[in-house]
């Protein structure tokens, strides 16, 4: 879904569209102010999920609603999202090499977003205070217990909840 401008340069349309969809989902949910790093973490995590799950490269407005279930599944607690991202990047990189057109600008923007998500840590509420053995009740969430968390780990539950609120 790449377009070209008059100068023949590839325009990264698929990534920009995925980012737009993610932004709209988060703004509609009104979970967090749009000016925060936490919002960016949620938007970039959702945008990666949207972009990387679009195997056919045919994201369109009509398909967005039909894709919500898949995106919810990919962002659900316990899904190996990080491993899935790496697998999709490998597959898309291989496809780009096979086409012989060099690096896809959409893929480059997605990789830049991933680098930020993976290498940036945010000081946030500890959303996983510890596992329980099943016999006891789970520990209560202490909103004052804060930890440094990779941005994508904070972005996943934000994006998932935003889609439920959509």
């Amino acid at each position: 879904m790449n377009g070209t401008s008059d100068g023949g340069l590839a325009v990264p349309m698929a990534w920009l569209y995925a980012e737009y969809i993610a932004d709209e989902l988060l703004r509609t949910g009104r979970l967090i102010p749009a000016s925060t790093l936490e919002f960016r973490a949620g938007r970039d995590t959702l945008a990666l999920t949207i972009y990387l799950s679009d195997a056919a490269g045919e994201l369109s407005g009509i398909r967005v609603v039909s894709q919500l279930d898949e995106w919810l599944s990919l962002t659900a607690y316990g899904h190996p999202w990080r491993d899935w991202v790496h697998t999709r990047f490998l597959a898309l990189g291989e496809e780009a090499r096979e086409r012989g057109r060099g690096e896809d600008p959409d893929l480059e923007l997605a990789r830049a977003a991933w680098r930020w998500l993976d290498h940036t840590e945010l000081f946030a509420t500890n959303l996983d205070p510890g596992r329980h053995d099943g016999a006891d009740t789970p520990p209560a969430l202490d909103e004052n217990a804060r930890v440094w968390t990779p941005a994508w780990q904070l972005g996943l539950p934000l994006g998932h909840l935003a889609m439920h609120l959509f």
Side-chain angles (χ1 to χ4, degrees):
M1 186 171 170
N2 285 339
T4 57
S5 65
D6 291 337
L9 300 173
V11 178
M13 297 300 291
W15 173 256
L16 295 176
Y17 191 54
E19 197 173 48
Y20 169 77
I21 293 167
D23 192 81
E24 286 298 310
L25 287 168
L26 279 170
R27 286 179 191 272
T28 301
R30 295 183 180 158
L31 295 170
I32 197 156
S35 60
T36 64
L37 288 174
E38 291 82 358
F39 183 92
R40 179 180 176 187
R43 184 197 62 215
D44 285 3
T45 300
L46 262 179
L48 268 176
T49 303
I50 293 165
Y51 174 75
L52 294 175
S53 67
D54 184 33
E58 298 177 351
L59 265 180
S60 66
I62 193 80
R63 288 196 53 221
V64 168
V65 173
S66 67
Q67 296 288 98
L68 281 175
D69 285 340
E70 179 182 359
W71 300 337
L72 281 166
S73 172
L74 290 168
T75 59
Y77 182 78
H79 182 273
W81 187 83
R82 188 175 196 268
D83 294 338
W84 174 79
V85 167
H86 284 282
T87 301
R88 290 297 299 142
F89 273 135
L90 288 172
L92 291 173
E94 183 63 31
E95 288 172 18
R97 281 188 290 284
E98 286 175 4
R99 287 192 305 265
R101 287 193 243 154
E103 196 58 51
D104 181 348
D106 287 305
L107 191 54
E108 278 302 305
L109 288 172
R111 283 187 175 136
W114 172 244
R115 283 189 298 274
W116 184 85
L117 286 166
D118 198 36
H119 297 294
T120 301
E121 290 191 344
L122 303 174
F123 199 53
T125 299
N126 185 3
L127 298 176
D128 192 11
R131 307 228 182 252
H132 62 285
D133 62 11
D136 300 326
T137 59
L141 180 65
D142 179 2
E143 292 185 24
N144 295 318
R146 299 173 72 74
V147 294
W148 288 101
T149 304
W152 68 268
Q153 285 184 350
L154 182 61
L156 273 175
L158 281 173
H160 188 80
L161 184 55
M163 286 186 284
H164 273 292
L165 295 172
F166 182 68

